[in-house]
Amino acid sequence: MKNLVLLSCITYMISVFNIAYAQEHVSYKKRSPVYDYSEKHLNHTDTIPDFDSKPNKLKITGTIYHSDGTTPAKDVILYICQSDEDGNYVMKRDEKRKRYVHHQGWIKTDTDGRYTFYTFMPGKYMRTKELKQIHRIIKEPGKPEYAIKSFFFNDDPLLPDLTLACRANAVGSMLRIEEKDGMFVASKDIKLSKDIILVQ
């Protein structure tokens, strides 16, 4: 049991930033997926592919703030991607034969820093002890993109097996799920990092 808890903790820590590696080496080949959107359709709300047909629909809302934690951040791009309900990352190819994660989406915050995603509950990746999660990348105007901690879920069955330190680390991006009108809903605000350097 002690070994399982330690393994879960280590796996969790690795998984927090594994989206950058996964996209770089599996599907995006040196170009971050945060840039693979259609600018004319980008706004503060997006719907993940297959939302209508998936069980356990999920609405995630929140506000993105500057590093002071109070000023809403306008025109920030938030990219997410996730596994399907079985924990599998469904891969597709675009017209240039480049592979990408099918269940992905982008928003650009409005003047109030707001964002909304319509998606579904992801499954746990079958071959690991990772928590179920939704990966995230941020792109601020004039700054390079960077990965932030994944969204995790307060009802994840693996949570009790984590050490207190691992659980405390996950709390900052934990979605507290409620059910409303036949859909799961969660609200989570995001505070931008003050350590990202402006692009010259």
Side-chain angles (χ1 to χ4, degrees):
M1 183 64 179
K2 199 170 183 181
N3 289 338
L4 176 61
V5 171
L6 179 60
L7 178 61
S8 296
C9 186
I10 292 171
T11 303
Y12 160 75
M13 296 301 289
I14 292 172
S15 71
V16 167
F17 298 105
N18 73 354
I19 182 59
Y21 177 89
Q23 301 292 18
E24 176 89 5
H25 295 275
V26 174
S27 57
Y28 287 95
K29 307 290 188 189
K30 299 183 181 178
R31 177 180 166 90
S32 173
V34 76
Y35 299 107
D36 294 339
Y37 59 84
S38 175
E39 177 70 39
K40 65 180 181 179
H41 298 303
L42 207 57
N43 56 53
H44 71 278
T45 301
D46 197 14
T47 301
I48 299 300
D50 301 333
F51 168 78
D52 290 333
S53 63
K54 293 295 185 181
N56 301 321
K57 292 175 172 52
L58 172 63
K59 178 184 178 182
I60 307 171
T61 62
T63 301
I64 299 180
Y65 293 100
H66 286 288
S67 58
D68 62 10
T70 58
T71 307
K74 179 186 175 184
D75 294 333
V76 173
I77 297 172
L78 173 60
Y79 165 83
I80 66 169
C81 74
Q82 66 179 79
S83 68
D84 65 13
E85 68 274 23
D86 297 318
N88 298 311
Y89 289 89
V90 178
M91 303 303 295
K92 301 274 187 175
R93 289 189 185 273
D94 64 16
E95 66 280 356
K96 296 180 181 178
R97 304 293 295 162
K98 182 174 68 175
R99 298 181 75 212
Y100 64 92
V101 177
H102 180 53
H103 298 118
Q104 61 179 344
W106 299 257
I107 62 87
K108 179 184 279 188
T109 54
D110 60 12
T111 54
D112 296 318
R114 296 176 300 182
Y115 75 90
T116 299
F117 283 108
Y118 289 92
T119 184
F120 56 91
M121 296 289 286
K124 183 182 74 67
Y125 191 50
M126 305 281 284
R127 292 174 286 279
T128 72
K129 295 291 185 182
E130 288 185 357
L131 300 174
K132 58 184 181 179
Q133 60 192 282
I134 296 176
H135 305 284
R136 303 184 292 172
I137 297 176
I138 286 281
K139 174 69 176 73
E140 300 178 53
K143 296 184 180 182
E145 76 282 358
Y146 55 96
I148 60 176
K149 288 181 186 177
S150 298
F151 281 136
F152 297 105
F153 298 85
N154 66 322
D155 64 346
D156 196 301
L158 283 180
L159 275 177
D161 293 334
L162 297 181
T163 65
L164 288 175
C166 286
R167 268 181 284 177
N169 198 25
V171 165
S173 58
M174 187 79 67
L175 295 177
R176 304 205 174 275
I177 305 299
E178 298 178 358
E179 193 167 1
K180 185 177 180 182
D181 300 327
M183 180 185 296
F184 292 106
V185 295
S187 179
K188 195 68 179 178
D189 294 339
I190 298 169
K191 186 169 79 169
L192 298 173
S193 172
K194 62 182 179 181
D195 299 323
I196 303 303
I197 300 172
L198 285 168
V199 175
Q200 300 297 321

